Amino acid sequence: MDAWALWLIAAGILLVLEMMTLTFYLLWLCIGTIAAAIIGWIAPDAYIAQVLVGCLVALVLTIFTKPISKRFRAAKGFKDTGTELIGRQGIVVEPIEEGQYGIVKIGGDAWSATSAQTLAKDERVRVLRRSSTIIEVERWEEFV
């Protein structure tokens, strides 16, 4: 199999992983592998050039888009949907063992969740924190 085809397979895998994490870091690596695939198509025997171009493209994209995304997040009117989750109520869909991952449904969305407590299926929980794709929850306790 040609090197450019392997680069495109790697790019496809990175793109799928990026769609699951939504961090943009894997997107830049994906674009870097596409650049390496182009070099592999043009110069099939230049393996070092393929790797260097791929790494350089990913590095440049990562460095130069960081300030842009930081300004975008600081812009007036930007709303991070993740911060709206904090304090909301959800239902445990897949049980959560202490220190392990489970699934919690909040509104119409399912989230990977962790907790310092063991939580059973169908138990109500409250969101404490959110990282990129995982939320931390605790048992919902109503005070009468």
Side-chain angles (χ1 to χ4, degrees), residues 92-109:
V92 177
V93 176
E94 197 173 287
I96 303 171
E97 296 293 324
E98 186 175 333
Q100 299 293 317
Y101 295 108
I103 298 183
V104 172
K105 188 170 184 178
I106 301 170
D109 299 324

Side-chain angles (χ1 to χ4, degrees), residues 4-126:
W4 63 268
L6 294 174
W7 286 115
L8 286 180
I9 291 168
I13 291 168
L14 287 167
L15 186 61
V16 168
L17 290 173
E18 171 59 40
M19 288 189 280
M20 289 196 279
T21 61
L22 302 174
T23 60
F24 282 109
Y25 293 116
L26 294 176
L27 180 63
W28 306 149
L29 291 175
C30 174
I31 293 171
T33 57
I34 291 171
I38 292 169
I39 298 301
W41 184 57
I42 294 169
D45 295 328
Y47 299 114
I48 294 174
Q50 294 170 28
V51 172
L52 289 176
V53 167
C55 290
L56 186 64
V57 167
L59 184 65
V60 167
L61 286 171
T62 301
I63 290 171
F64 287 110
T65 57
K66 192 74 169 169
I68 293 170
S69 64
K70 194 179 236 184
R71 270 186 278 149
F72 177 72
R73 289 179 184 265
K76 189 174 167 182
F78 176 76
K79 199 179 228 184
D80 185 7
T81 56
T83 56
E84 294 176 355
L85 287 175
I86 298 171
R88 288 192 56 194
Q89 181 180 337
I91 301 288
V92 177
V93 176
E94 197 173 287
I96 303 171
E97 296 293 324
E98 186 175 333
Q100 299 293 317
Y101 295 108
I103 298 183
V104 172
K105 188 170 184 178
I106 301 170
D109 299 324
W111 288 83
S112 292
T114 186
S115 178
Q117 307 165 315
T118 299
L119 301 168
K121 185 177 179 185
D122 295 327
E123 203 167 342
R124 291 193 313 172
V125 294
R126 181 174 67 103

